[in-house]
Amino acid sequence: MAEVYDPQAVERKWQARWRDAGTYNVDNDDPRPPFYVLSMYPYPSGRAHMGHVRNYTFGDLIVRHRTMQGYAVLSPFGFDSFGLPAENAAIKTGVHPRIFTEERIPELKASVQAIGAVYDWRRELRSHDPSYIKWNQVIFQRFLEAGLAYRRNAPVNWCPGCQTVLANEQVLADGTCERSGDVVTKRDLEQWFFKITEYADELLADLDALEWPERVKTMQRNWIGRSEGAEFDMPVEGRPEVRVRVFTTRPDTSFGMTYAVLAPEHPLVPALTTDEQRGEVEAFVQRVRTESEIERMSTEGPLEKRGVFTGSHVINPFTNQPVPVYLADYVLMGYGTGAIMAVPGQDQRDWDFAQAYGLPIIRTVEPPEGWEGEAYVGDGPAINSEWLDGLPVAEAKATAIEWLEQHGIGERTVNYRLRDWLVSRQRFWGCPIPVVYCPDHGIVPVPQDELPVLAPDDVEFLPTGESPLRFHEGFLHTTCPVCGGPATRETDTMDTFVDSSWYFLRFCDPWNEDAPFDQAAVAKWMPVDQYIGGIEHAILHLMYARFYTKALADLGMAPKDLREPFKRLFTQGMIRMGGAKMSKSRGNLVAPEEVLGTHGADALRLAHLFVTPPGDDVDWEAFGIEGCSRFLRRVWRLAIPDSETAAPAADSVAIDRAAHRLIERVSDEYERWSYNTAVASLMEFTNLLSKEGTTPFAVDTLLLLMAPMTPHITAELWELRHGTDIHTQAWPQADPELTKLDTTTLVVQINGKVRDRIEVDPGLSEEEAERLALASPRVQEALGGGAPEKVISRPPRLVNVVV
RNA sequence: GGGCGAGUGGCGGAAUUGGCAGACGCGCAGGAUUCAGGUUCCUGUGUCCGAAAGGAUGUGAGGGUUCAAGUCCCUCCUCGCCCACCA
């Protein structure tokens, strides 16, 4: 084996050893300092694709690096095994989703192991395991008890052709069903929600302290969408007992309100519609209801058709003047109060609407001189606003709110874009919601000793897309736990984001049969020190997991002080192919195993690390797999015992010092996630060893620094050299005395242009540097005997002579 | 429409704080080894002028600050991503 590098043989040998020896198993009483590394658990879609390889390469590198640094590294793996693909496959082929899924899991597991990624497999979990389902259901019931889970009517995507509910991703961009092509409509269903909005403020505030990419934090902030403003009431003209409540972020502009707008679904619409307008209003409301989401949300189309006058007026409390009330499809019932005051002078949308309907426009903020735009949204003194005149926007807002509160008309409010989390799914292959409906006792949780509620196996999957649970008599009919009378089971299942909202906690204590997890185990490992995954989960999964962590801590299930699940987050870039996203449907997948069979796992891992910074998107065409393979063969030839290629260095002291500098540099690059430059540093050093000769210390250092990146080849070479396991060695330490350079290059510039380079002592003074620079023949020539105008001396790097 | 990024050779990319632009790799060209291909090794490789030494020029465009700008400031262009009628 030693003579020629045979990646497949080396990789087989070491992967078997890691698996059989349980090298990366870690116990909860491990005395070393804890470090928790987690890659987002995957949906088991079969063999790994390049995106998986990229993800697990980074994760595995950190596991091995931190282990060498002396940490007890928790590195678990699991499968997000509920989900729509298995159910669709069942409808197509008749194979039960469990069978289908359980065939896919070993495929993915094998390909993860084939790239040399190591985990504590004793902790493996799958969302569809009855033990996981049980605790998932227990947590649901605790949420229900605490009022964090509740039921209400909510619209779903309904396909009239298939007679079934569709997930958003099953609705095409043109608003039609992906299967039947029918236009998808909305239909109201009683559904379960989690009250994530209760945590909106905390979810927003706690983002600041997280070591996450700013981009992801910004996306979360926008998603929560906190906005401060005021709500106030406006009585209907002639009927002061009926009042319309509006939300605004600009109470300072209230004097400029020239009309008000309600959402078409607003409950006051029938009451406010005059007989004269009834026909028109009803036609409008009807049209909006049947419009697809896409049409309604489209900003296209003439504004004239997007609103209608109700015939009523409300009194603006600021001016005591009546303003007309309109309906418009762009006002949403779900945000604020579903009703707005319209100030066309200060809001472009209101301006456009006012133009289309011939409504007056009153400016309430003085636009800057020379302003030629329409609505003005910037700061400036208030005008046309009586007692607010002259105040800048912020002060005017505060004054207006104070006035509303003093007169009992309204108050300061905070609104969020964030909605409660709809967790009901009208699907089979998910975690059943553990409640029954009793005609006498209403919603009754299934007693804990009867959990888990599991879906039956004897079901038939029909291409209607309807969940078979709804027609399974044995599942559907049960008895009420309170009275023993006949009751029916909930047939909806939970959103799979529920499963992924606490799996990282279960990993701390996956064997627990008495609780979802033990508090002490969670306290030891959590929060996750390094979480790794795709940017596509920047909003939903990460928000839900944060909510779950806070809620579980508040319910006393998790440690009280555990407020956040993921201390540090890294999101890796996507892999593309010829500019397009790699995907099965495009048929542009590159199977990892093709590369494993030719160049091996180490070369593939190295190529992933080297090709680009880890956070960037990358095209497969850019991967220099050949170059990485070539580099590994070079290392092999240099490092095998009795190597014919590796000549002993003539100046071994210089080589060893270079090795110490390499330790310093590469260690820093590991900390900064600068793996692409770390590989470059290692390549540069290897070039040096080829040219200047090797020392045992230099080669050992090279292998140690490479070990987390290319674990197989380095393990094999280390064993050949020392007979021990490289992955149990300590991470090398640079000797600061030896990293110092004897000389460094001083750049001499004349007027900012490089004119000379001088080798100097790195510790030289400003004066010495200046003296050396001025003595340079090139500088002498440029000065022509005269004196320089100015000399900037920045030893030891640069001197700039201005002439 | 709003928000966030990013524009550097033929390509992926490098350049901690403003201080030698293009590290490292791919590709390409030439050479050595080889019957040949592959492998391996050596040399060259931003652009323009030059045999070379060397010089000029150069980080999307334009302007500015500075002894010095890929990096900081202003204006603009292009691309990507996210949220999108949120009052």
Side-chain angles (χ1 to χ4, degrees):
Chain A
M1 186 183 278
E3 284 314 306
V4 179
Y5 172 45
D6 177 353
Q8 283 75 27
V10 170
E11 288 167 11
R12 256 197 312 276
K13 167 183 165 182
W14 286 94
Q15 284 170 14
R17 189 172 298 185
W18 295 324
R19 188 182 59 237
D20 298 340
T23 316
Y24 288 86
N25 292 352
V26 64
D27 294 320
N28 284 356
D29 60 359
D30 192 301
R32 295 171 293 174
F35 198 92
Y36 189 172
V37 180
L38 186 62
S39 296
M40 291 178 185
Y41 79 155
Y43 178 78
S45 51
R47 284 179 298 184
H49 55 66
M50 277 299 170
H52 289 121
V53 172
R54 191 161 181 80
N55 196 213
Y56 302 128
T57 294
F58 295 129
D60 190 57
L61 175 145
I62 295 169
V63 169
R64 293 175 182 276
H65 176 226
R66 295 295 179 195
T67 300
M68 289 176 81
Q69 287 185 319
Y71 290 97
V73 178
L74 176 59
S75 168
F77 202 93
F79 299 91
D80 185 17
S81 50
F82 276 134
L84 209 46
E87 192 160 341
N88 288 339
I91 291 162
K92 216 170 176 180
T93 65
V95 179
H96 193 282
R98 181 185 311 99
I99 309 292
F100 177 83
T101 302
E102 291 184 354
E103 281 170 0
R104 302 286 83 75
I105 286 175
E107 294 171 358
L108 181 52
K109 191 170 171 176
S111 47
V112 166
Q113 288 171 332
I115 62 163
V118 286
Y119 302 94
D120 182 348
W121 288 104
R122 301 170 308 166
R123 295 178 189 254
E124 175 180 346
L125 67 77
R126 302 149 353 143
S127 314
H128 77 286
D129 282 332
S131 60
Y132 196 76
I133 291 174
K134 173 177 174 173
W135 298 116
N136 222 1
Q137 293 175 339
V138 167
I139 293 170
F140 180 95
Q141 294 185 348
R142 296 291 291 274
F143 278 19
L144 181 59
E145 263 169 53
L148 283 174
Y150 68 95
R151 235 167 112 75
R152 71 165 155 87
N153 253 320
V156 290
N157 300 309
W158 179 261
C159 173
C162 305
Q163 286 288 298
T164 185
V165 175
L166 300 181
N168 281 333
E169 50 269 34
Q170 296 174 298
V171 183
L172 301 178
D174 63 355
T176 60
C177 170
E178 64 167 7
R179 189 167 25 215
S180 70
D182 289 295
V183 174
V184 176
T185 59
K186 292 282 171 190
R187 182 183 248 213
D188 273 351
L189 275 187
E190 275 277 299
Q191 305 193 75
W192 285 98
F193 286 83
F194 284 160
K195 224 183 249 177
I196 189 171
T197 51
E198 194 152 294
Y199 285 88
D201 253 329
E202 202 190 330
L203 287 167
L204 183 67
D206 289 352
L207 279 173
D208 295 343
L210 295 177
E211 296 171 51
W212 286 18
E214 262 328 298
R215 184 155 76 111
V216 176
K217 294 210 258 184
T218 305
M219 281 161 74
Q220 293 228 337
R221 285 189 190 106
N222 292 342
W223 190 256
I224 294 168
R226 183 190 151 98
S227 63
E228 291 183 30
E231 282 183 19
F232 62 89
D233 288 321
M234 293 194 285
V236 176
E237 186 181 35
R239 284 193 289 164
E241 75 286 358
V242 184
R243 287 190 238 164
V244 175
R245 194 168 183 81
V246 295
F247 171 71
T248 177
T249 56
R250 294 294 303 275
D252 59 301
T253 65
S254 302
F255 285 95
M257 177 198 327
T258 54
Y259 61 100
V261 187
L262 303 188
E265 306 91 336
H266 198 285
L268 285 177
V269 170
L272 292 191
T273 304
T274 57
D275 290 339
E276 223 163 76
Q277 293 297 107
R278 196 163 303 276
E280 221 177 305
V281 167
E282 279 174 1
F284 176 77
V285 170
Q286 187 56 35
R287 201 187 74 219
V288 171
R289 186 174 301 156
T290 53
E291 254 177 2
S292 73
E293 187 90 340
I294 307 299
E295 285 168 316
R296 176 151 180 201
M297 289 302 153
S298 159
T299 49
E300 307 297 313
L303 218 39
E304 288 78 5
K305 291 196 175 160
R306 304 190 56 196
V308 66
F309 180 46
T310 59
S312 290
H313 292 75
V314 289
I315 308 292
N316 176 355
F318 287 80
T319 60
N320 281 317
Q321 295 301 309
V323 295
V325 179
Y326 279 74
L327 306 187
D329 62 355
Y330 64 80
V331 174
L332 310 174
M333 196 55 222
Y335 186 77
T337 60
I340 62 164
M341 67 173 204
V343 185
Q346 260 60 57
D347 183 296
Q348 188 60 41
R349 225 178 17 222
D350 294 347
W351 177 289
D352 294 338
F353 193 88
Q355 291 286 334
Y357 289 86
L359 294 158
I361 294 169
I362 301 169
R363 289 194 187 276
T364 59
V365 179
E366 177 96 71
E369 214 162 304
W371 173 257
E372 284 172 13
E374 300 179 334
Y376 174 66
V377 297
D379 202 355
I383 52 172
N384 301 321
S385 299
E386 301 181 19
W387 39 270
L388 289 176
D389 280 352
L391 295 179
V393 169
E395 272 177 58
K397 263 189 206 179
T399 310
I401 292 171
E402 216 172 290
W403 183 86
L404 285 169
E405 289 180 341
Q406 269 170 11
H407 291 77
I409 301 167
E411 62 274 323
R412 176 186 306 278
T413 54
V414 175
N415 249 289
Y416 298 93
R417 215 193 70 106
L418 183 70
R419 292 285 104 82
D420 275 341
W421 174 13
L422 197 170
V423 296
S424 296
R425 293 292 180 273
Q426 293 72 39
R427 297 288 151 195
F428 173 83
W429 191 233
C431 180
I433 294 175
V435 299
V436 302
Y437 299 99
C438 170
D440 296 324
H441 298 94
I443 298 167
V444 184
V446 174
Q448 191 167 326
D449 58 10
E450 288 175 28
L451 296 181
V453 174
L454 297 176
D457 278 349
D458 56 336
V459 290
E460 202 185 344
F461 292 91
L462 298 170
T464 61
E466 192 84 56
S467 166
L469 289 180
R470 298 183 52 131
F471 309 109
H472 191 282
E473 298 293 313
F475 179 81
L476 190 61
H477 299 293
T478 183
T479 53
C480 170
V482 178
C483 63
T488 54
R489 281 190 197 280
E490 170 67 83
T491 57
D492 283 357
T493 54
M494 297 183 208
D495 182 1
T496 56
F497 277 124
V498 174
D499 310 330
S500 56
S501 289
W502 68 283
Y503 75 107
F504 44 89
L505 296 167
R506 181 70 180 171
F507 273 144
C508 299
D509 189 23
W511 307 280
N512 200 320
E513 292 181 3
D514 306 316
F517 41 80
D518 175 62
Q519 296 241 8
V522 165
K524 178 188 173 87
W525 296 111
M526 289 293 292
V528 174
D529 292 281
Q530 183 66 61
Y531 198 38
I532 305 156
I535 188 77
E536 66 274 16
H537 292 113
I539 299 176
L540 296 181
H541 162 58
L542 291 169
M543 188 78 76
Y544 295 148
R546 296 179 62 219
F547 157 66
Y548 244 69
T549 302
K550 291 172 191 299
L552 290 170
D554 288 342
L555 293 176
M557 297 179 87
K560 272 267 167 293
D561 58 352
L562 182 66
R563 303 315 300 178
E564 287 289 337
F566 314 122
K567 186 173 152 194
R568 236 178 306 162
L569 170 71
F570 180 79
T571 51
Q572 95 265 11
M574 263 181 3
I575 301 184
R576 287 188 303 245
M577 183 63 173
K581 192 181 168 179
M582 249 197 198
S583 74
K584 211 180 267 181
S585 55
R586 282 195 177 80
N588 62 358
L589 290 176
V590 174
E593 47 267 37
E594 284 171 31
V595 182
L596 297 183
T598 51
H599 300 285
D602 283 334
L604 179 58
R605 291 167 63 122
L606 198 66
H608 273 282
L609 295 170
F610 184 49
V611 67
T612 183
D616 291 4
D617 286 353
V618 60
D619 205 289
W620 174 253
E621 286 168 1
F623 274 67
I625 187 88
E626 298 280 351
C628 292
S629 204
R630 199 170 297 158
F631 168 69
L632 291 179
R633 288 195 297 268
R634 263 160 84 96
V635 171
W636 181 270
R637 287 195 305 272
L638 281 176
I640 48 168
D642 308 315
S643 161
E644 286 171 23
T645 317
D651 186 351
S652 64
V653 174
I655 293 296
D656 284 349
R657 295 182 71 155
H660 277 278
R661 286 195 300 276
L662 183 74
I663 293 171
E664 202 172 58
R665 184 164 148 194
V666 173
S667 297
D668 179 55
E669 286 166 326
Y670 267 83
E671 295 300 334
R672 286 168 30 222
W673 280 74
S674 187
Y675 302 125
N676 55 332
T677 60
V679 175
S681 305
L682 295 165
M683 286 175 167
E684 218 175 332
F685 187 67
T686 304
N687 291 343
L688 178 78
L689 297 189
S690 294
K691 208 176 269 178
E692 305 283 326
T694 65
T695 69
F697 175 73
V699 173
D700 283 347
T701 299
L702 178 68
L703 294 179
L704 288 166
L705 295 174
M706 284 174 66
M709 299 177 166
T710 53
H712 314 84
I713 187 176
T714 50
E716 182 65 19
L717 287 168
W718 189 272
E719 192 182 54
L720 289 170
R721 291 167 68 84
H722 301 287
T724 53
D725 182 357
I726 194 169
H727 297 292
T728 61
Q729 304 301 308
W731 190 251
Q733 296 295 317
D735 181 338
E737 276 307 305
L738 297 179
T739 56
K740 285 182 190 154
L741 288 161
D742 288 336
T743 63
T744 186
T745 307
L746 177 77
V747 170
V748 180
Q749 294 182 337
I750 298 171
N751 292 333
K753 291 196 192 279
V754 181
R755 283 298 119 100
D756 205 356
R757 295 183 175 86
I758 309 172
E759 285 302 305
V760 298
D761 179 331
L764 89 168
S765 70
E766 261 182 56
E767 292 73 20
E768 282 172 299
E770 181 172 339
R771 193 174 49 73
L772 282 170
L774 291 177
S776 155
R778 299 294 307 275
V779 174
Q780 287 296 314
E781 191 187 321
L783 289 174
E789 192 177 306
K790 194 175 186 181
V791 180
I792 287 98
S793 182
R794 294 279 179 278
R797 304 189 67 166
L798 172 135
V799 173
N800 188 11
V801 180
V802 184
V803 295

